[in-house]
Amino acid sequence: MNRRHSLRVALAALLLAGCDGGAGEDGTAAKALHFTDCEEQTALLVVAPAQLPPLPEGFAYGKPLPGLPLAGVHVSGSRCADLDGRGPTQDLLAFALIEPPESYRSEGVTAYGILLGGYTRHASTAAAFAAWGMGDKVQAGTVDWQLTATPVARIGSVSASGASSSVTTRINGLGPVIQPGGGLTRAFHFAEGRVAASIDAFYTPQTGMLGIGTAQQQGDGPLPLGYSVATGSHAWDYDLELRNPQRYP
């Protein structure tokens, strides 16, 4: 589970711009969000780039399978014990791996993606992302976790739903347990054919397990396919910081 396959990013991006939970005490947008004691399951889908949104000039979809003209979509369900002292969080977010032009790269960032959409339950996360210019992609909704874990296996299901769609991922992980390192990723948001915003996500080292499973969507959701077989992973015992929000002219 290298960093490119673990871009889960962070993007708990979302709606509810009217909520004030993600703002600072002076009413300004939070400069960072700090998630502690997190776990997640991620499904990796392999699709044709034509099934995904067109990219601005200079950007290209990443190739999860070297030598094949395919793109990778990550569907990540995460839950954390606490967000900046405001209680637990649960989100499901989908994003696609991309390769940006050199002018949008930064030293130390190991993987890049674009937010396709998703669902969140936490008003603080939703309000912050809306203030950062990334609030039009994800529905406010419900996220339900089911997990059975043993020392050698993790059987997980994450179901999320909003007003017009729902997504469910099921990932069955089987040992050995691995120890992925931490890292820094960046997710972009595109609007009207240009780069509109970005956010960085810093992960601490994790405990993990690889797996296989499925992703299923109903309604007008963020995924390019209604049903997909997926490779995937589980990760736990890590912290996450979303930081360095940027808007682009």
Side-chain angles (χ1 to χ4, degrees), residues 20 38 40 50 65-66 113 130 144 146 160 187-188 219 244:
D20 61 0
C38 299
E40 71 174 52
L65 301 175
D144 179 61
Q146 302 290 331
F188 292 98
N244 190 33

Side-chain angles (χ1 to χ4, degrees), residues 127-170:
F129 272 90
W132 294 342
M134 305 177 75
D136 61 339
K137 300 297 291 184
V138 178
Q139 303 176 53
T142 62
V143 183
D144 179 61
W145 266 76
Q146 302 290 331
L147 177 67
T148 300
T150 74
V152 296
R154 291 174 76 89
I155 311 300
S157 172
V158 180
S159 296
S161 62
S164 62
S165 64
S166 65
V167 172
T168 297
T169 64
R170 295 180 173 87

Side-chain angles (χ1 to χ4, degrees), residues 23 25 67 80 95 101 157 184 192 200 212 218:
E25 293 182 2
C80 301
F95 55 92
S157 172
L184 182 65
E192 299 179 351
D200 292 352
I212 58 173
Q218 294 183 336

Side-chain angles (χ1 to χ4, degrees), residues 29-50:
K31 298 300 184 184
L33 296 176
H34 306 88
F35 301 80
T36 56
D37 192 13
C38 299
E39 62 181 331
E40 71 174 52
Q41 71 172 36
T42 297
L44 173 61
L45 318 180
V46 178
V47 303

